[in-house]
Amino acid sequence: MTEMTKSALSGKHVVLGVTGGIAAYKAVEIASRLRKAGAEVRVIMTRASQNFVTALTFREISGHAVITSMWTPVTEAKVEHIALADWADLVLVAPATANLIAKTAVGIADDMLTTTLLAVRVPVMIAPAMNTDMYENPVTQANIETLRQRGVIVIEPASGWLACNRMGKGRLPEPSSIVAEAEKLFSCQQSLAGRKILVTAGGTEEPLDPVRFLGNRSSGRMGYAIAAAAARRGADVTLVAGPVTLPDPVDVNVIHVRTAVEMHDAVLSRYDMSDAVIKAAAVADYRPEAVATDKIKKQDGDLVLRLVRNPDILLELGQKKTHQVLVGFAAETRDVEAYARTKLVKKNLDFIVANDVSRSDAGFGVSTNQAVLFFADGRREAYPLQEKSALAEVIVGHVSNLLKQGGDKHQF
Ligand code: PMT
Protein backbone atom coordinates (compact mmCIF):
# COMPACT_ATOMS: atom_id res chain seq x y z
CA MET A 1 0.00 0.00 0.00
CA THR A 2 1.40 3.41 -0.88
CA GLU A 3 0.46 6.60 0.93
CA MET A 4 -1.60 7.60 -2.10
CA THR A 5 -3.65 4.41 -2.17
CA LYS A 6 -6.44 4.08 0.31
CA SER A 7 -6.52 0.65 1.92
CA ALA A 8 -9.67 -1.41 1.46
CA LEU A 9 -9.55 -1.77 5.25
CA SER A 10 -10.02 1.95 5.74
CA GLY A 11 -13.09 2.62 7.88
CA LYS A 12 -13.79 -1.08 8.39
CA HIS A 13 -14.70 -2.46 11.81
CA VAL A 14 -12.58 -5.46 12.71
CA VAL A 15 -13.10 -7.64 15.77
CA LEU A 16 -9.75 -9.29 16.45
CA GLY A 17 -10.03 -12.50 18.48
CA VAL A 18 -6.86 -13.59 20.24
CA THR A 19 -6.59 -17.10 21.64
CA GLY A 20 -4.07 -18.81 23.86
CA GLY A 21 -1.16 -19.85 21.70
CA ILE A 22 2.47 -18.79 21.73
CA ALA A 23 1.80 -16.78 18.55
CA ALA A 24 -0.56 -14.48 20.50
CA TYR A 25 2.24 -11.92 20.63
CA LYS A 26 2.06 -11.59 16.82
CA ALA A 27 -1.57 -10.46 17.18
CA VAL A 28 -0.26 -7.21 18.63
CA GLU A 29 1.39 -6.42 15.29
CA ILE A 30 -1.75 -7.53 13.46
CA ALA A 31 -3.83 -5.06 15.50
CA SER A 32 -1.28 -2.34 14.83
CA ARG A 33 -1.20 -2.98 11.08
CA LEU A 34 -4.99 -3.07 10.89
CA ARG A 35 -5.15 0.34 12.54
CA LYS A 36 -2.46 1.75 10.30
CA ALA A 37 -4.53 0.57 7.33
CA GLY A 38 -7.43 2.64 8.67
CA ALA A 39 -9.51 -0.05 10.35
CA GLU A 40 -11.12 0.37 13.74
CA VAL A 41 -10.15 -2.59 15.89
CA ARG A 42 -11.85 -4.11 18.94
CA VAL A 43 -9.95 -6.94 20.59
CA ILE A 44 -11.47 -9.94 22.37
CA MET A 45 -8.99 -12.03 24.32
CA THR A 46 -9.68 -15.52 25.63
CA ARG A 47 -8.61 -16.29 29.17
CA ALA A 48 -5.72 -18.47 27.96
CA SER A 49 -4.37 -15.76 25.66
CA GLN A 50 -3.85 -13.47 28.64
CA ASN A 51 -1.09 -15.83 29.80
CA PHE A 52 0.88 -14.78 26.71
CA VAL A 53 0.05 -11.08 26.23
CA THR A 54 -1.66 -8.53 28.44
CA ALA A 55 -4.94 -6.82 27.68
CA LEU A 56 -3.18 -3.54 28.40
CA THR A 57 -0.95 -4.02 25.35
CA PHE A 58 -3.96 -4.49 23.09
CA ARG A 59 -5.76 -1.54 24.70
CA GLU A 60 -2.85 0.74 23.86
CA ILE A 61 -2.52 -0.61 20.32
CA SER A 62 -6.23 -0.73 19.47
CA GLY A 63 -7.26 2.43 21.29
CA HIS A 64 -10.21 0.62 22.86
CA ALA A 65 -10.81 -1.27 26.08
CA VAL A 66 -10.20 -4.96 25.53
CA ILE A 67 -12.96 -7.50 26.13
CA THR A 68 -11.75 -10.37 28.25
CA SER A 69 -14.92 -11.65 29.84
CA MET A 70 -18.66 -12.02 29.28
CA TRP A 71 -19.28 -10.65 32.76
CA THR A 72 -17.34 -7.40 32.86
CA PRO A 73 -18.72 -5.23 30.05
CA VAL A 74 -16.41 -2.59 28.63
CA THR A 75 -18.98 -0.83 26.43
CA GLU A 76 -22.36 0.76 27.06
CA ALA A 77 -24.12 -1.93 25.04
CA LYS A 78 -26.81 -3.91 26.83
CA VAL A 79 -25.85 -7.21 25.17
CA GLU A 80 -22.20 -6.78 24.39
CA HIS A 81 -21.56 -9.85 22.17
CA ILE A 82 -24.56 -9.04 19.98
CA ALA A 83 -23.57 -5.38 19.75
CA LEU A 84 -20.05 -6.38 18.73
CA ALA A 85 -21.33 -8.88 16.17
CA ASP A 86 -23.53 -6.12 14.67
CA TRP A 87 -20.69 -3.58 14.73
CA ALA A 88 -18.15 -5.83 12.97
CA ASP A 89 -17.43 -5.93 9.25
CA LEU A 90 -15.01 -8.79 9.86
CA VAL A 91 -14.10 -11.09 12.72
CA LEU A 92 -10.49 -12.18 12.50
CA VAL A 93 -9.20 -14.81 14.92
CA ALA A 94 -5.40 -14.90 14.98
CA PRO A 95 -3.97 -17.07 16.30
CA ALA A 96 -6.78 -19.63 16.38
CA THR A 97 -6.00 -22.59 18.61
CA ALA A 98 -7.27 -26.14 18.03
CA ASN A 99 -9.56 -25.61 21.02
CA LEU A 100 -11.17 -22.45 19.58
CA ILE A 101 -11.58 -24.15 16.20
CA ALA A 102 -13.21 -27.22 17.78
CA LYS A 103 -15.59 -25.15 19.89
CA THR A 104 -16.60 -22.99 16.93
CA ALA A 105 -17.15 -26.05 14.72
CA VAL A 106 -19.73 -27.47 17.13
CA GLY A 107 -21.22 -24.16 18.22
CA ILE A 108 -20.00 -24.03 21.81
CA ALA A 109 -20.35 -20.50 23.20
CA ASP A 110 -18.69 -20.43 26.60
CA ASP A 111 -16.77 -17.16 26.48
CA MET A 112 -16.98 -13.79 24.77
CA LEU A 113 -15.10 -14.83 21.61
CA THR A 114 -17.00 -18.06 20.91
CA THR A 115 -20.32 -16.34 21.73
CA THR A 116 -19.56 -13.50 19.34
CA LEU A 117 -18.53 -16.01 16.64
CA LEU A 118 -21.91 -17.68 16.98
CA ALA A 119 -23.73 -14.36 16.60
CA VAL A 120 -21.92 -12.84 13.60
CA ARG A 121 -23.34 -12.62 10.08
CA VAL A 122 -20.24 -10.99 8.56
CA PRO A 123 -17.14 -12.77 7.17
CA VAL A 124 -15.08 -14.70 9.68
CA MET A 125 -11.40 -15.34 9.05
CA ILE A 126 -9.30 -17.65 11.20
CA ALA A 127 -5.56 -18.22 11.23
CA PRO A 128 -4.89 -21.60 12.85
CA ALA A 129 -1.56 -21.84 14.67
CA MET A 130 -0.43 -24.84 16.68
CA ASN A 131 1.95 -27.77 16.84
CA THR A 132 2.10 -29.78 13.57
CA ASP A 133 0.67 -32.97 15.08
CA MET A 134 -2.25 -31.07 16.56
CA TYR A 135 -2.83 -29.32 13.24
CA GLU A 136 -2.68 -32.54 11.24
CA ASN A 137 -4.81 -34.49 13.70
CA PRO A 138 -7.91 -35.70 11.79
CA VAL A 139 -10.17 -34.10 14.40
CA THR A 140 -8.63 -30.66 13.84
CA GLN A 141 -8.69 -31.15 10.08
CA ALA A 142 -12.36 -32.18 10.20
CA ASN A 143 -13.20 -29.15 12.34
CA ILE A 144 -11.38 -26.81 9.95
CA GLU A 145 -13.20 -28.40 7.02
CA THR A 146 -16.55 -27.92 8.80
CA LEU A 147 -15.79 -24.24 9.28
CA ARG A 148 -14.69 -23.90 5.66
CA GLN A 149 -17.90 -25.47 4.46
CA ARG A 150 -19.80 -22.90 6.51
CA GLY A 151 -17.97 -20.10 4.73
CA VAL A 152 -15.24 -19.32 7.27
CA ILE A 153 -12.07 -18.15 5.51
CA VAL A 154 -9.13 -20.19 6.74
CA ILE A 155 -5.65 -18.71 6.40
CA GLU A 156 -3.29 -21.64 5.94
CA PRO A 157 -0.58 -21.88 8.60
CA ALA A 158 2.99 -21.49 7.46
CA SER A 159 5.71 -24.12 7.75
CA GLY A 160 8.86 -23.53 9.75
CA TRP A 161 10.41 -23.70 13.17
CA LEU A 162 7.73 -24.12 15.85
CA ALA A 163 7.74 -23.23 19.54
CA CYS A 164 7.86 -26.96 20.35
CA ASN A 165 11.36 -27.02 18.83
CA ARG A 166 10.34 -28.85 15.67
CA MET A 167 10.05 -28.02 12.00
CA GLY A 168 6.59 -28.39 10.53
CA LYS A 169 3.32 -26.80 9.49
CA GLY A 170 1.49 -24.80 12.12
CA ARG A 171 3.20 -21.41 12.39
CA LEU A 172 1.07 -18.30 12.35
CA PRO A 173 1.86 -16.54 9.05
CA GLU A 174 3.52 -13.12 9.26
CA PRO A 175 1.16 -10.37 10.48
CA SER A 176 1.66 -8.51 7.18
CA SER A 177 0.28 -11.44 5.17
CA ILE A 178 -2.67 -11.92 7.54
CA VAL A 179 -3.58 -8.24 7.20
CA ALA A 180 -3.13 -8.56 3.42
CA GLU A 181 -5.70 -11.39 3.41
CA ALA A 182 -8.16 -9.18 5.31
CA GLU A 183 -7.51 -6.35 2.87
CA LYS A 184 -8.00 -8.67 -0.10
CA LEU A 185 -11.36 -9.71 1.31
CA PHE A 186 -12.62 -6.13 1.36
CA SER A 187 -11.04 -5.09 -1.92
CA CYS A 188 -12.92 -7.80 -3.80
CA GLN A 189 -15.83 -8.07 -1.41
CA GLN A 190 -18.54 -6.47 -3.48
CA SER A 191 -17.10 -7.18 -6.92
CA LEU A 192 -20.11 -9.36 -7.77
CA ALA A 193 -22.80 -7.22 -6.14
CA GLY A 194 -25.94 -7.18 -8.28
CA ARG A 195 -24.76 -10.20 -10.33
CA LYS A 196 -26.72 -13.43 -10.54
CA ILE A 197 -24.40 -16.43 -10.48
CA LEU A 198 -25.56 -19.98 -11.07
CA VAL A 199 -23.29 -22.77 -9.80
CA THR A 200 -23.69 -26.53 -10.07
CA ALA A 201 -22.09 -29.02 -7.70
CA GLY A 202 -21.96 -32.68 -6.84
CA GLY A 203 -22.66 -35.74 -8.89
CA THR A 204 -25.95 -36.97 -10.25
CA GLU A 205 -27.73 -40.24 -9.44
CA GLU A 206 -29.40 -42.14 -12.26
CA PRO A 207 -31.88 -44.64 -10.75
CA LEU A 208 -32.02 -48.26 -11.86
CA ASP A 209 -34.77 -49.34 -9.51
CA PRO A 210 -36.21 -48.05 -6.19
CA VAL A 211 -32.94 -48.81 -4.30
CA ARG A 212 -30.11 -48.66 -6.86
CA PHE A 213 -28.55 -45.97 -8.98
CA LEU A 214 -25.55 -45.17 -11.17
CA GLY A 215 -23.50 -42.37 -9.66
CA ASN A 216 -20.00 -40.99 -9.21
CA ARG A 217 -17.64 -39.92 -6.42
CA SER A 218 -18.24 -36.15 -6.56
CA SER A 219 -18.66 -34.77 -3.04
CA GLY A 220 -19.84 -31.33 -4.12
CA ARG A 221 -16.97 -29.62 -2.28
CA MET A 222 -15.61 -27.80 -5.33
CA GLY A 223 -18.96 -26.37 -6.39
CA TYR A 224 -19.97 -25.50 -2.82
CA ALA A 225 -16.70 -23.62 -2.32
CA ILE A 226 -17.36 -21.67 -5.53
CA ALA A 227 -20.90 -20.79 -4.46
CA ALA A 228 -19.63 -19.59 -1.05
CA ALA A 229 -16.86 -17.51 -2.67
CA ALA A 230 -19.32 -15.85 -5.07
CA ALA A 231 -21.74 -15.10 -2.21
CA ARG A 232 -18.91 -13.49 -0.22
CA ARG A 233 -18.36 -11.12 -3.14
CA GLY A 234 -21.94 -10.02 -2.92
CA ALA A 235 -23.43 -12.09 -5.77
CA ASP A 236 -26.97 -13.41 -5.76
CA VAL A 237 -26.01 -17.09 -5.93
CA THR A 238 -28.13 -20.09 -6.86
CA LEU A 239 -26.51 -23.46 -6.35
CA VAL A 240 -28.00 -26.46 -8.13
CA ALA A 241 -26.65 -29.42 -6.21
CA GLY A 242 -26.77 -33.14 -6.78
CA PRO A 243 -27.04 -35.47 -3.76
CA VAL A 244 -24.29 -34.40 -1.33
CA THR A 245 -23.89 -34.42 2.44
CA LEU A 246 -22.60 -30.85 2.81
CA PRO A 247 -24.44 -28.12 4.75
CA ASP A 248 -25.95 -25.40 2.55
CA PRO A 249 -23.54 -22.45 2.22
CA VAL A 250 -24.52 -19.21 3.94
CA ASP A 251 -26.47 -16.70 1.80
CA VAL A 252 -26.87 -19.10 -1.13
CA ASN A 253 -30.15 -20.29 -2.61
CA VAL A 254 -29.72 -24.07 -2.91
CA ILE A 255 -31.83 -26.20 -5.27
CA HIS A 256 -31.40 -29.91 -4.59
CA VAL A 257 -31.73 -32.26 -7.55
CA ARG A 258 -30.98 -35.90 -8.13
CA THR A 259 -30.67 -36.77 -11.80
CA ALA A 260 -28.98 -35.15 -14.80
CA VAL A 261 -32.39 -34.38 -16.31
CA GLU A 262 -33.49 -32.63 -13.08
CA MET A 263 -30.23 -30.67 -13.06
CA HIS A 264 -30.77 -29.77 -16.71
CA ASP A 265 -34.25 -28.41 -16.02
CA ALA A 266 -33.15 -26.49 -12.89
CA VAL A 267 -30.22 -24.86 -14.73
CA LEU A 268 -31.93 -24.12 -18.03
CA SER A 269 -34.94 -22.49 -16.36
CA ARG A 270 -32.59 -20.01 -14.64
CA TYR A 271 -30.15 -19.44 -17.49
CA ASP A 272 -31.65 -16.34 -19.08
CA MET A 273 -31.51 -14.38 -15.85
CA SER A 274 -28.00 -15.50 -14.92
CA ASP A 275 -24.90 -13.36 -15.51
CA ALA A 276 -22.56 -16.31 -15.13
CA VAL A 277 -22.80 -20.08 -14.85
CA ILE A 278 -20.05 -22.19 -13.29
CA LYS A 279 -20.56 -25.91 -13.88
CA ALA A 280 -18.53 -27.84 -11.34
CA ALA A 281 -21.01 -30.73 -11.18
CA ALA A 282 -20.07 -34.19 -12.41
CA VAL A 283 -23.09 -34.95 -14.55
CA ALA A 284 -23.81 -38.51 -15.69
CA ASP A 285 -23.52 -38.75 -19.47
CA TYR A 286 -25.83 -41.78 -19.53
CA ARG A 287 -28.84 -43.06 -17.60
CA PRO A 288 -30.60 -46.44 -17.60
CA GLU A 289 -33.14 -46.55 -20.42
CA ALA A 290 -35.86 -47.65 -17.98
CA VAL A 291 -36.26 -47.47 -14.23
CA ALA A 292 -37.72 -50.67 -12.77
CA THR A 293 -40.74 -50.06 -10.54
CA ASP A 294 -39.74 -52.92 -8.24
CA LYS A 295 -36.30 -53.93 -7.01
CA ILE A 296 -34.50 -55.84 -9.77
CA LYS A 297 -34.18 -59.50 -8.73
CA LYS A 298 -31.02 -61.55 -9.11
CA GLN A 299 -31.07 -63.83 -12.16
CA ASP A 300 -29.00 -66.88 -13.06
CA GLY A 301 -27.17 -65.22 -15.94
CA ASP A 302 -25.62 -61.78 -16.40
CA LEU A 303 -27.71 -58.64 -16.39
CA VAL A 304 -27.40 -56.34 -19.37
CA LEU A 305 -28.27 -52.69 -18.86
CA ARG A 306 -29.12 -50.42 -21.74
CA LEU A 307 -28.08 -46.81 -21.17
CA VAL A 308 -29.32 -43.78 -23.06
CA ARG A 309 -27.64 -40.37 -23.40
CA ASN A 310 -28.39 -37.63 -20.90
CA PRO A 311 -28.56 -34.05 -22.10
CA ASP A 312 -25.18 -32.32 -22.14
CA ILE A 313 -26.23 -29.33 -20.06
CA LEU A 314 -23.10 -27.28 -20.64
CA LEU A 315 -23.15 -27.86 -24.39
CA GLU A 316 -26.73 -26.57 -24.48
CA LEU A 317 -25.80 -23.53 -22.37
CA GLY A 318 -22.96 -22.77 -24.80
CA GLN A 319 -25.34 -22.97 -27.78
CA LYS A 320 -27.92 -20.71 -26.10
CA LYS A 321 -25.40 -18.24 -24.70
CA THR A 322 -26.33 -14.59 -25.09
CA HIS A 323 -24.60 -12.49 -22.43
CA GLN A 324 -23.50 -15.03 -19.82
CA VAL A 325 -19.97 -15.81 -18.71
CA LEU A 326 -19.79 -19.57 -19.00
CA VAL A 327 -17.31 -21.68 -17.06
CA GLY A 328 -16.94 -25.43 -17.36
CA PHE A 329 -14.80 -28.06 -15.71
CA ALA A 330 -12.90 -30.88 -17.35
CA ALA A 331 -12.29 -33.95 -15.22
CA GLU A 332 -9.63 -35.93 -17.03
CA THR A 333 -7.33 -38.83 -16.26
CA ARG A 334 -5.04 -38.34 -19.29
CA ASP A 335 -4.32 -35.81 -22.08
CA VAL A 336 -5.78 -33.18 -19.77
CA GLU A 337 -4.86 -30.15 -21.88
CA ALA A 338 -6.05 -31.55 -25.22
CA TYR A 339 -9.42 -32.71 -23.87
CA ALA A 340 -9.91 -29.48 -21.91
CA ARG A 341 -9.21 -27.28 -24.94
CA THR A 342 -11.61 -29.34 -27.06
CA LYS A 343 -14.39 -28.91 -24.47
CA LEU A 344 -13.62 -25.18 -24.16
CA VAL A 345 -14.29 -24.64 -27.85
CA LYS A 346 -17.07 -27.19 -28.34
CA LYS A 347 -19.10 -25.87 -25.38
CA ASN A 348 -18.45 -22.19 -26.17
CA LEU A 349 -16.96 -21.44 -22.75
CA ASP A 350 -15.17 -18.35 -21.48
CA PHE A 351 -12.81 -20.59 -19.60
CA ILE A 352 -12.48 -24.17 -18.46
CA VAL A 353 -11.01 -25.51 -15.24
CA ALA A 354 -9.09 -28.68 -16.02
CA ASN A 355 -8.35 -31.02 -13.14
CA ASP A 356 -6.37 -34.23 -13.38
CA VAL A 357 -8.65 -36.57 -11.44
CA SER A 358 -6.17 -39.44 -11.56
CA ARG A 359 -4.32 -37.74 -8.66
CA SER A 360 -5.40 -38.92 -5.23
CA ASP A 361 -5.07 -35.39 -3.79
CA ALA A 362 -7.09 -33.62 -6.50
CA GLY A 363 -10.54 -33.81 -8.04
CA PHE A 364 -13.21 -36.09 -6.61
CA GLY A 365 -13.91 -36.27 -2.89
CA VAL A 366 -10.82 -34.60 -1.40
CA SER A 367 -10.55 -31.07 0.02
CA THR A 368 -7.72 -30.03 -2.32
CA ASN A 369 -7.52 -29.59 -6.09
CA GLN A 370 -4.95 -28.77 -8.71
CA ALA A 371 -6.13 -27.02 -11.81
CA VAL A 372 -5.07 -25.45 -15.06
CA LEU A 373 -7.38 -22.78 -16.48
CA PHE A 374 -7.71 -22.43 -20.27
CA PHE A 375 -9.33 -19.26 -21.55
CA ALA A 376 -11.18 -18.61 -24.80
CA ASP A 377 -8.62 -15.91 -25.68
CA GLY A 378 -5.82 -18.49 -25.54
CA ARG A 379 -4.45 -17.72 -22.06
CA ARG A 380 -3.39 -20.64 -19.89
CA GLU A 381 -2.94 -20.38 -16.11
CA ALA A 382 -1.62 -23.27 -14.02
CA TYR A 383 -2.23 -23.33 -10.27
CA PRO A 384 -0.51 -25.46 -7.62
CA LEU A 385 -2.31 -27.98 -5.45
CA GLN A 386 -4.39 -25.94 -3.03
CA GLU A 387 -7.53 -26.04 -0.91
CA LYS A 388 -10.71 -26.03 -3.00
CA SER A 389 -11.74 -22.87 -1.16
CA ALA A 390 -8.60 -21.12 -2.45
CA LEU A 391 -9.12 -22.37 -6.01
CA ALA A 392 -12.74 -21.22 -5.75
CA GLU A 393 -11.52 -17.69 -5.00
CA VAL A 394 -9.34 -17.81 -8.13
CA ILE A 395 -12.21 -19.02 -10.32
CA VAL A 396 -14.69 -16.48 -8.95
CA GLY A 397 -12.07 -13.74 -9.31
CA HIS A 398 -11.75 -14.55 -13.04
CA VAL A 399 -15.54 -14.57 -13.44
CA SER A 400 -15.71 -11.18 -11.76
CA ASN A 401 -13.05 -9.77 -14.12
CA LEU A 402 -14.77 -11.19 -17.20
CA LEU A 403 -18.10 -9.72 -16.12
CA LYS A 404 -16.44 -6.36 -15.66
CA GLN A 405 -15.03 -6.55 -19.18
CA GLY A 406 -18.39 -7.67 -20.68
CA GLY A 407 -17.85 -11.39 -20.65
CA ASP A 408 -19.64 -12.42 -23.82
CA LYS A 409 -17.17 -10.86 -26.23
CA HIS A 410 -15.29 -14.17 -26.60
CA GLN A 411 -18.22 -15.92 -28.28
CA PHE A 412 -17.80 -17.30 -31.75
O1 PMT B 1 -17.37 -32.53 -6.11
P1 PMT B 1 -15.92 -32.72 -5.68
O2 PMT B 1 -15.70 -33.99 -4.90
O3 PMT B 1 -15.38 -31.50 -5.00
O4 PMT B 1 -15.04 -32.93 -7.01
C1 PMT B 1 -14.88 -31.88 -7.90
C2 PMT B 1 -14.97 -32.36 -9.36
C3 PMT B 1 -13.82 -33.30 -9.67
C4 PMT B 1 -16.29 -33.08 -9.62
C5 PMT B 1 -14.89 -31.05 -10.22
O5 PMT B 1 -13.66 -30.42 -9.98
C6 PMT B 1 -15.02 -31.36 -11.70
O6 PMT B 1 -14.05 -31.67 -12.40
N1 PMT B 1 -16.28 -31.28 -12.22
C7 PMT B 1 -16.61 -31.65 -13.59
C8 PMT B 1 -16.74 -33.15 -13.70
C9 PMT B 1 -17.18 -33.59 -15.09
O7 PMT B 1 -18.23 -34.08 -15.22
O8 PMT B 1 -16.33 -33.30 -16.03
P2 PMT B 1 -16.58 -33.67 -17.61
O9 PMT B 1 -15.23 -33.44 -18.20
O10 PMT B 1 -17.18 -35.02 -17.71
O11 PMT B 1 -17.62 -32.59 -18.09
C10 PMT B 1 -17.22 -31.36 -18.67
C11 PMT B 1 -18.17 -30.25 -18.27
O12 PMT B 1 -19.45 -30.51 -18.87
C12 PMT B 1 -18.39 -30.10 -16.79
O13 PMT B 1 -18.43 -28.73 -16.48
C13 PMT B 1 -19.74 -30.77 -16.55
O14 PMT B 1 -20.45 -30.16 -15.47
C14 PMT B 1 -20.46 -30.52 -17.89
N2 PMT B 1 -21.40 -31.60 -18.25
C15 PMT B 1 -20.97 -32.86 -18.47
C16 PMT B 1 -21.87 -33.83 -18.86
C17 PMT B 1 -23.23 -33.49 -19.01
N3 PMT B 1 -24.13 -34.39 -19.37
N4 PMT B 1 -23.63 -32.23 -18.78
C18 PMT B 1 -22.74 -31.28 -18.40
O15 PMT B 1 -23.11 -30.12 -18.21
Side-chain angles (χ1 to χ4, degrees):
M1 187 185 59
T2 66
E3 276 177 20
M4 300 299 290
T5 334
K6 194 171 161 196
S7 165
L9 281 162
S10 179
K12 297 294 179 199
H13 293 172
V14 181
V15 169
L16 176 62
V18 185
T19 68
I22 184 71
Y25 76 93
K26 289 191 187 174
V28 176
E29 189 182 338
I30 294 172
S32 162
R33 284 178 176 270
L34 286 168
R35 277 200 82 190
K36 280 186 192 138
E40 199 176 331
V41 182
R42 299 257 176 180
V43 180
I44 305 177
M45 296 182 77
T46 63
R47 185 135 54 120
S49 73
Q50 295 164 56
N51 293 316
F52 296 93
V53 201
T54 67
L56 184 64
T57 310
F58 282 109
R59 194 186 73 185
E60 294 308 309
I61 297 292
S62 69
H64 288 291
V66 172
I67 302 160
T68 54
S69 158
M70 291 282 284
W71 316 113
T72 41
V74 301
T75 65
E76 297 294 302
K78 259 199 189 143
V79 189
E80 201 162 39
H81 60 281
I82 302 294
L84 259 186
D86 288 346
W87 174 84
D89 295 307
L90 167 70
V91 178
L92 167 64
V93 185
T97 56
N99 184 46
L100 179 282
I101 292 167
K103 286 201 284 188
T104 312
V106 293
I108 291 176
D110 63 353
D111 63 11
M112 191 62 178
L113 182 55
T114 47
T115 309
T116 305
L117 283 166
L118 208 53
V120 284
R121 300 281 301 161
V122 294
V124 174
M125 209 173 237
I126 62 166
M130 65 199 75
N131 153 276
T132 309
D133 292 335
M134 290 172 74
Y135 177 69
E136 288 175 352
N137 189 303
V139 176
T140 306
Q141 286 301 309
N143 289 333
I144 290 176
E145 184 59 22
T146 300
L147 295 182
R148 261 204 190 99
Q149 294 299 342
R150 289 201 201 118
V152 171
I153 302 159
V154 180
I155 302 173
E156 285 285 298
S159 294
W161 199 248
L162 301 172
C164 53
N165 238 358
R166 278 175 50 182
M167 288 290 286
K169 191 167 180 180
R171 273 171 67 94
L172 188 73
E174 287 312 309
S176 56
S177 57
I178 291 179
V179 173
E181 287 296 327
E183 187 163 18
K184 198 165 83 188
L185 175 82
F186 288 115
S187 55
C188 61
Q189 197 178 41
Q190 291 306 309
S191 70
L192 286 173
R195 302 290 194 175
K196 286 190 189 317
I197 310 286
L198 187 57
V199 182
T200 69
T204 56
E205 287 181 2
E206 306 300 329
L208 281 164
D209 69 14
V211 296
R212 301 185 180 97
F213 59 83
L214 301 179
N216 62 62
R217 292 192 295 110
S218 171
S219 64
R221 283 170 154 175
M222 190 67 247
Y224 271 59
I226 292 168
R232 274 199 296 274
R233 287 177 183 239
D236 175 356
V237 184
T238 299
L239 173 64
V240 179
V244 297
T245 56
L246 304 171
D248 290 353
V250 180
D251 292 333
V252 170
N253 172 31
V254 186
I255 317 268
H256 293 281
V257 297
R258 186 178 181 206
T259 65
V261 169
E262 285 171 18
M263 185 172 281
H264 169 272
D265 296 349
V267 169
L268 267 291
S269 64
R270 291 167 177 83
Y271 190 39
D272 287 351
M273 55 188 149
S274 299
D275 295 301
V277 182
I278 308 171
K279 282 223 76 245
V283 187
D285 288 319
Y286 295 91
R287 67 178 181 277
E289 185 177 39
V291 183
T293 344
D294 295 312
K295 185 176 167 226
I296 299 170
K297 302 303 283 181
K298 203 171 11 214
Q299 301 162 4
D300 284 342
D302 296 337
L303 174 70
V304 178
L305 283 178
R306 193 178 154 76
L307 303 178
V308 294
R309 280 296 300 267
N310 268 331
D312 186 326
I313 307 167
L314 192 54
L315 181 73
E316 206 172 317
L317 296 180
Q319 287 161 349
K320 295 189 167 147
K321 183 170 165 183
T322 51
H323 61 285
Q324 297 87 351
V325 166
L326 201 49
V327 181
F329 272 70
E332 309 295 348
T333 51
R334 65 183 172 88
D335 301 330
V336 179
E337 174 155 359
Y339 283 126
R341 284 196 187 279
T342 305
K343 285 176 186 171
L344 172 75
V345 175
K346 188 170 170 206
K347 302 192 181 195
N348 191 17
L349 309 177
D350 289 83
F351 68 93
I352 191 159
V353 182
N355 37 198
D356 180 349
V357 294
S358 65
R359 287 178 64 141
S360 61
D361 53 4
F364 288 88
V366 289
S367 69
T368 48
N369 208 355
Q370 195 261 313
V372 184
L373 272 51
F374 297 98
F375 292 81
D377 60 10
R379 276 177 300 140
R380 174 190 189 279
E381 288 187 8
Y383 290 89
L385 185 74
Q386 57 188 323
E387 289 296 326
K388 283 178 176 167
S389 54
L391 179 59
E393 291 292 343
V394 170
I395 293 166
V396 169
H398 280 298
V399 168
S400 168
N401 289 341
L402 286 168
L403 283 169
K404 242 183 264 156
Q405 295 160 15
D408 56 350
K409 67 178 176 228
H410 301 305
Q411 284 186 82
F412 55 86

